[in-house]
Amino acid sequence: MTADVKNLISHLQTALGDDCLTGRKVCVALSGGMDSVVLLHVLAQLRAQQPIELSAVHVNHGISPHAADWAAFCLKICRSLDVPCQIATLPPLESAGGGLERAAREARYAVFARVDADLLCMAHHKNDRAETLLLNLFRGAGPQGLAAMPGSRCLNGKQLVRPFIDLTRSDLQAWANAQRLSWVEDESNQNLHFRRNYLRHVVLPAIGQQFPAITTVLARTAEQMQEQTTLLARLAEIDAKDCEDEHGRLRISQWALLPPIAARNVLKHRLNRAGVHIPSARRLEALVAQLVDARQDAEVFVRFGQTGCHLWRDRLWLDHAMNAPQPQAHKLSDGVIDWADGQLEVQGDAQAIARSGLVVRAVGQGQRFQPAGRCRSTVTELLREQGVPPWVRPRWPALWRDGQLCWVAGLGWGGAADDTHGLALTWMPTPDQII
């Protein structure tokens, strides 16, 4: 498929679904490279024709010595287009044996999962898809891996969309040249130590000498694999029906009775639908084995990149905030405080809050607390009764004064609290994600 420069906007409208685009929150994953810069500019032009709430997010891994310059470039280009831009600066990566590329990818997608948007747009194109298919083929991937970058999928309650997936790199280059755009060049893209770069600069050009249409052929194969993946997803939903509770969540004890091949397919489908990247078949097998052998009251944990998978109360829970930085202890102030597992809204007189001496920090472990009108117990036990999962409890928000626990989210003020300072506290937890 060739994109005429003048028709790129209409192509984007079709790819995003023109009929239901108006008024939606659309966020661009902006690296600063040519592809994402083109996507941002096309969406900005589309915004002039159709009201959308456009924003961008840039992930600064801090790996390149130019990382700060790239972040500054993204802020500058977004300001020129009147587009809000979030810069997510990440701590140093830990590859954990999976390689720097994979660790960086998992960290990026963890950021993308938390973006406030209806649509998260990424600028991957047909060449990227061909490269990904080959990478996954050499890893021994199945149909889903060989589908290599679907045009859209769910990511933590939003839709991840790749509107350029049917276009080539040269299509985007032509549009960028016609619009006289500027972008940044990542020097690591020329480093043949990275497998994708080796495929892009060495393998695919060599194959292309004998098979000139290799990019299109591989993209077509990816589309066929996507069809197979879709059929497997439909089969997974059929098999899951007998294992679901009234909320559509898997009863793991019932799921474990499925034939092994069906159980794996159901679990893989549910994890994919929740936006969890499964790094390897071995990791999935490890989770399946632990779940099948677990007692009904057991707690099981398996890590998938930046997401933790926990078996608790016969359900499989996802913890996307597992590696999220925890807020530091600080004096309470009026407004909304972002927390790993929700938001705390504080309302009251600013001077009274300042005089209160209250500090907000995680409740931690081993604390005892007596909510007003209730018996004294450990915070862990009180939160368990509230249905708060065990891995969340230590990082639950609380208010302290002079080292004394005064208030706990979901439990309220302690019975010994002599003065609430006229505060109105509202805890808005992130909805539990249970597959």
Side-chain angles (χ1 to χ4, degrees), residues 57-63 88-95 99-115 155 277 303-307 320 323-325:
V57 58
H58 173 79
V59 179
N60 179 0
H61 292 291
I63 299 173
T89 302
L90 302 184
L93 290 173
E94 296 181 5
S95 60
L100 187 61
E101 291 175 279
R102 177 178 295 176
R105 180 189 184 279
E106 291 174 351
R108 280 197 304 277
Y109 277 81
V111 172
F112 297 156
R114 297 192 293 269
V115 166
L155 178 64
H277 172 64
R303 171 178 176 152
F304 287 95
Q306 301 294 315
T307 300
H320 291 293
N323 290 335

Side-chain angles (χ1 to χ4, degrees), residues 57 115 265 387 396 398 405:
V57 58
V115 166
N265 187 45
W396 207 242
L405 185 59

Side-chain angles (χ1 to χ4, degrees), residues 185-328:
E185 294 286 356
D186 185 346
E187 72 281 357
S188 70
N189 287 338
Q190 304 302 317
N191 186 347
L192 299 185
H193 171 76
F194 296 116
R195 293 175 177 177
R196 181 177 292 276
N197 292 341
Y198 187 79
L199 284 175
R200 179 179 301 169
H201 299 299
V202 179
V203 176
L204 280 170
I207 297 175
Q209 291 179 6
Q210 294 295 325
F211 303 94
I214 183 62
T215 298
T216 298
V217 170
L218 290 176
R220 186 162 63 243
T221 299
E223 290 172 2
Q224 293 168 352
M225 290 298 100
Q226 184 61 47
E227 289 184 1
Q228 301 302 311
T229 301
T230 301
L231 290 174
L232 287 172
R234 291 189 63 184
L235 180 60
E237 285 302 315
I238 293 171
D239 286 336
K241 286 298 181 183
D242 294 333
C243 313
E244 292 177 338
D245 62 15
E246 64 274 17
H247 303 294
R249 300 161 172 172
L250 290 179
R251 292 187 180 94
I252 297 302
S253 57
Q254 294 296 311
W255 163 87
L257 300 177
L258 290 171
I261 191 171
R264 285 196 302 272
N265 187 45
V266 168
L267 187 58
K268 188 174 184 178
H269 169 63
R270 288 298 178 94
L271 290 171
N272 286 327
R273 193 175 69 176
V276 177
H277 172 64
I278 303 172
S280 69
R282 284 198 307 273
R283 190 67 60 85
L284 181 65
E285 289 286 357
L287 178 59
V288 170
Q290 291 189 52
L291 294 178
V292 168
D293 294 338
R295 303 185 313 273
Q296 191 161 355
D297 61 345
E299 294 181 17
V300 170
F301 170 75
V302 172
R303 171 178 176 152
F304 287 95
Q306 301 294 315
T307 300
C309 298
H310 299 261
L311 173 63
W312 187 56
R313 294 184 174 178
D314 200 30
R315 303 294 186 271
L316 194 61
W317 301 60
L318 302 181
D319 182 13
H320 291 293
M322 178 178 66
N323 290 335
Q326 298 300 310
Q328 298 296 313

Side-chain angles (χ1 to χ4, degrees), residues 30 32-42 73 77 181-183:
L30 183 65
M34 187 265 290
D35 305 336
S36 64
V37 167
V38 168
L39 179 57
L40 179 67
H41 273 267
V42 177
F73 172 84
I77 194 173
L181 301 183
S182 59
W183 56 86

